């Protein structure tokens, strides 16, 4: 039986009229209540929706839908304005999701409630906690553009949908997952530093679709150090099981996962550990069509590292930064700000360098007290730094800093002749959100920020105080 049918006369005395097929006005009977709208409004729901089928139906009588008219009015308003009306708050979110699925407009509901354009950094505060099963703390998180999140904890991956209402858990072959990438809503790439191969996992079906390995010289296992992606490619940093060689593999991400290119195969020669530091973070820089690969290690002379920008088309390094003094604890690139940021492992301070000078001589500019760089106390150990849009987020222990560019309204030039950039720091969250255990992961999806902490079996959700359902 179709989800809508011809309407019949009602006992309330209302006389049904037939539809005029030439009219742009459409009348719909939902649970005994009549609604009128236009064909153009119904067409906004998309060709696969029930609204579209009603709009294109050749029935002459008023179609009847046996559903709740109050909920229907919410979605009709959503079609008209692209926003949920205030009356939607009277309903449980799960009821709205179920009804949106019935009408085939869940994508419109998602877009109205978890749109990346609704992300407001200065209004973020901790809004909810997502509990995880078991005793393991999160080791990695992966988000999707509209706010669903996958969380690796121990050997498990727990997934929450965009509404954070639906939760599922999959058990994997790993003892612990160190790298996780969301390829789509249900497909992830997962790897570990103590387990060979990169696994492509279908979380919806609970199966490993494919395992990708790197053939190294010693023919030993190939462990995963980092995963990244661009719209076309997936990047994976592999290290041999003997830890004497590493490489970055480039795969086609459009379904086949075939290897496209191998970049930067490095071997360790003798005691020269600096000759082969594997990349432990991979970030795509879309404005320059380059891959940033960073890695560091602790040696007798302190923490050393390098940052390389790879041209995927040629497989060559176009810019390299070698870190010796106050090496990065973490590093990130912001396309919107055209800058790269790091948090120094010794000083714990945030530095930036201008990407408009890419390929030239690097010059880190300290946004805090640069004198701390020589103290050797490792105040930045474990600090995380991530960019999202035109904002930069840096964790300091259990607290979060938000760095933003200040529009100075002048044409002052820096030493390299570029227009000077000025950044200012803001502390995030309310007083009760500060001083907790060390932050271990930061992720962004939709209008939300996700935060995990050491020894906590949960994920914090930070949202704008004036947004959301």
């Amino acid at each position: 039986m179709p989800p809508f049918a011809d309407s019949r006369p009602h006992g309330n005395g209302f006389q049904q009229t037939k539809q005029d097929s030439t009219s742009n006005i459409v009348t719909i009977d939902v649970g005994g209540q009549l609604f009128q709208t236009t064909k153009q409004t119904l067409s906004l729901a998309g060709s696969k929706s029930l609204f579209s089928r009603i709009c294109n139906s050749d029935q002459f009588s008023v179609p009847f839908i046996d559903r709740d008219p109050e909920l229907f009015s919410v979605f009709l308003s959503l079609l008209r304005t692209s926003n949920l009306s205030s009356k939607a708050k009277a309903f449980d979110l799960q009821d709205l999701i179920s009804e949106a699925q019935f009408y085939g407009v869940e994508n419109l509901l998602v877009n109205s409630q978890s749109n990346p354009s609704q992300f407001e950094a200065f209004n973020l505060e901790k809004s909810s906690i997502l509990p995880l099963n078991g005793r393991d703390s999160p080791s990695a998180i992966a988000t999707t553009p509209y706010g669903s999140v996958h969380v690796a904890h121990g050997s498990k991956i727990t997934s929450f949908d965009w509404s954070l209402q639906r939760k599922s858990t999959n058990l994997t072959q790993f003892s612990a997952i160190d790298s996780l990438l969301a390829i789509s809503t249900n497909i992830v790439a997962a790897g570990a530093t103590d387990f060979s191969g990169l696994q492509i996992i279908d979380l919806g079906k609970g199966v490993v679709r494919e395992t990708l390995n790197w053939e190294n010289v010693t023919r030993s296992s190939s462990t995963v150090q980092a995963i990244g992606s661009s719209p076309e490619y997936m990047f994976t940093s592999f290290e041999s099981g003997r830890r004497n060689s590493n490489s970055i593999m480039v795969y086609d991400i459009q379904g086949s996962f075939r290897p496209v290119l191998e970049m930067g195969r490095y071997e360790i020669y003798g005691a020269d550990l600096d000759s082969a530091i594997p990349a432990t973070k991979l970030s795509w820089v879309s404005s320059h069509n380059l891959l940033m690969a960073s890695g560091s290690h602790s040696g007798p002379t302190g923490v050393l590292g390098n940052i390389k920008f790879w041209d995927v088309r040629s497989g060559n390094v176009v810019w390299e930064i070698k870190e010796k003094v106050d090496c990065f604890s973490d590093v990130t690139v912001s396309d919107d700000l055209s800058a790269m940021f790091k948090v120094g492992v010794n000083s714990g301070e945030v530095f930036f360098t201008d990407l408009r000078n890419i390929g030239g001589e690097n010059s880190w500019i300290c946004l805090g007290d640069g004198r701390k760089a020589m103290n050797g106390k490792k105040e930045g150990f474990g600090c995380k730094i991530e960019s999202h849009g035109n904002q930069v987020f840096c964790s300091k222990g259990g607290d979060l800093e938000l760095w933003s560019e200040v529009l100075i309204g002048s044409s002052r030039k820096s030493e390299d002749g570029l227009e000077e950039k000025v950044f200012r720091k803001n502390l995030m969250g309310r007083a009760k959100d500060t001083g907790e255990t060390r932050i271990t992961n930061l992720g962004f999806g939709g209008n939300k920020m996700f935060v995990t902490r050491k020894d906590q079996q949960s994920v914090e959700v930070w949202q704008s105080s004036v947004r959301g359902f």
Side-chain angles (χ1 to χ4, degrees):
M1 183 174 179
F4 65 93
D6 290 352
S7 185
R8 299 288 182 256
H10 297 281
N12 59 7
F14 181 80
Q15 182 66 43
Q16 292 283 7
T17 58
K18 291 189 176 184
Q19 302 261 31
D20 181 356
S21 61
T22 63
S23 174
N24 186 45
I25 305 298
V26 178
T27 302
I28 305 171
D29 183 345
V30 182
Q33 185 172 332
L34 291 179
F35 295 86
Q36 283 193 319
T37 185
T38 65
K39 292 181 179 180
Q40 287 93 331
T41 297
L42 293 179
S43 67
L44 295 175
S47 60
K48 295 182 180 180
S49 70
L50 179 57
F51 292 106
S52 177
R53 291 163 59 188
I54 293 174
C55 181
N56 296 323
S57 172
D58 57 3
Q59 292 182 162
F60 291 102
S61 57
V62 175
F64 174 77
I65 304 175
D66 192 14
R67 305 295 285 193
D68 186 334
E70 293 297 320
L71 282 168
F72 178 86
S73 70
V74 169
F75 291 104
L76 186 56
S77 176
L78 178 61
L79 287 176
R80 288 167 171 163
T81 67
S82 299
N83 294 299
L84 281 184
S85 62
S86 59
K87 70 167 65 175
K89 294 183 179 180
F91 300 97
D92 184 81
L93 179 56
Q94 193 57 55
D95 291 338
L96 289 173
I97 293 172
S98 298
E99 206 72 1
Q101 291 172 338
F102 172 81
Y103 289 113
V105 293
E106 187 177 11
N107 61 317
L108 298 180
L109 182 62
V110 173
N111 193 57
S112 70
Q113 289 298 288
S114 192
N115 195 306
S117 65
Q118 298 170 344
F119 186 86
E120 297 179 357
F122 288 101
N123 288 320
L124 289 178
E125 58 184 41
K126 186 164 62 175
S127 60
S128 60
I129 299 289
L130 305 178
L132 302 172
N133 299 326
R135 300 181 179 180
D136 298 299
S137 301
S139 54
I141 60 176
T143 60
T144 64
Y146 279 86
S148 58
V149 60
H150 307 290
V151 187
H153 52 116
S155 59
K156 301 180 288 293
I157 300 176
T158 295
S159 304
F160 298 87
D161 74 338
W162 68 269
S163 69
L164 309 182
Q165 302 286 307
R166 290 174 286 185
K167 170 182 172 183
S168 62
T169 300
N170 284 270
L171 189 64
T172 70
Q173 297 174 327
F174 302 98
S175 57
I177 297 169
D178 300 297
S179 300
L180 193 64
L181 174 73
I183 298 172
S184 66
T185 303
N186 291 318
I187 307 296
V188 299
T193 58
D194 62 354
F195 192 94
S196 184
L198 176 73
Q199 293 190 358
I200 309 299
I201 304 174
D202 187 328
L203 297 175
K205 298 179 180 179
V207 297
V208 177
R209 285 180 45 177
E210 195 169 352
T211 299
L212 306 175
N213 287 287
W214 170 56
E215 293 292 334
N216 55 79
V217 175
T218 58
R219 298 188 180 277
S220 60
S221 59
S222 53
T223 61
V224 174
Q225 304 298 307
I227 316 172
S229 68
S230 72
E232 295 179 85
Y233 304 115
M234 178 177 67
F235 311 102
T236 306
S237 172
F238 284 108
E239 185 179 38
S240 66
R242 296 182 182 181
R243 304 188 69 182
N244 60 354
S245 60
N246 60 75
S247 182
I248 297 174
M249 291 296 299
V250 182
Y251 298 96
D252 175 16
I253 204 173
Q254 304 296 330
S256 66
F257 299 105
R258 62 179 179 84
V260 176
L261 179 68
E262 179 181 11
M263 301 189 304
R265 178 187 285 260
Y266 293 103
E267 311 286 339
I268 292 179
Y269 296 101
D272 184 13
L273 298 179
D274 299 344
S275 62
I277 301 175
T280 53
K281 190 169 189 176
L282 300 172
S283 301
W284 180 248
V285 187
S286 59
S287 59
H288 291 76
N289 282 319
L290 298 174
L291 175 69
M292 185 207 73
S294 63
S296 64
H297 74 86
S298 183
T301 58
V303 181
L304 305 176
N306 58 54
I307 304 169
K308 297 177 181 179
F309 287 81
W310 292 89
D311 184 342
V312 178
R313 293 163 297 186
S314 65
N316 296 324
V317 175
V318 299
W319 196 28
E320 180 175 7
I321 302 171
K322 293 187 176 181
E323 293 275 281
K324 295 183 179 180
V325 178
D326 203 16
C327 179
F328 57 85
S329 174
D330 196 11
V331 62
T332 189
V333 171
S334 171
D335 263 323
D336 288 33
L337 297 172
S338 191
M340 178 168 58
F341 298 82
K342 77 169 185 178
V343 53
V345 69
N346 290 334
S347 66
E349 298 290 350
V350 174
F351 297 74
F352 88 96
T353 188
D354 201 317
L355 285 186
R356 292 174 297 177
N357 194 34
I358 197 166
E361 183 177 350
N362 175 62
S363 177
W364 288 111
I365 298 173
C366 183
L367 300 179
D369 186 354
R371 294 172 298 178
K372 291 183 179 181
M374 305 304 294
N375 64 18
K377 293 183 179 180
K378 293 188 178 180
E379 293 185 15
F381 178 78
C383 291
K384 300 295 181 181
I385 191 165
E386 297 290 350
S387 64
H388 185 65
N390 60 352
Q391 309 290 341
V392 177
F393 301 80
C394 180
S395 70
K396 298 286 184 71
D399 297 334
L400 267 175
E401 296 177 353
L402 171 63
W403 288 88
S404 307
E405 185 176 12
V406 177
L407 301 179
I408 57 179
S410 70
S411 56
R412 287 188 296 175
K413 303 290 184 179
S414 57
E415 293 181 0
D416 53 15
L418 298 174
E419 187 174 324
E420 184 177 358
K421 290 178 177 287
V422 178
F423 296 92
R424 289 290 181 266
K425 175 179 70 175
N426 292 274
L427 294 179
M428 295 189 64
R430 297 163 292 190
K432 66 178 183 178
D433 297 330
T434 63
E436 299 187 50
T437 57
R438 179 168 61 86
I439 292 172
T440 53
N441 290 285
L442 295 171
F444 304 89
N447 60 353
K448 299 179 277 288
M449 176 175 70
F450 299 95
V451 177
T452 66
R453 297 180 186 271
K454 182 181 179 182
D455 300 327
Q456 299 295 311
Q457 291 76 43
S458 60
V459 180
E460 296 175 8
V461 182
W462 290 55
Q463 283 182 281
S464 167
S465 57
V466 297
R467 289 281 189 183
F469 185 76

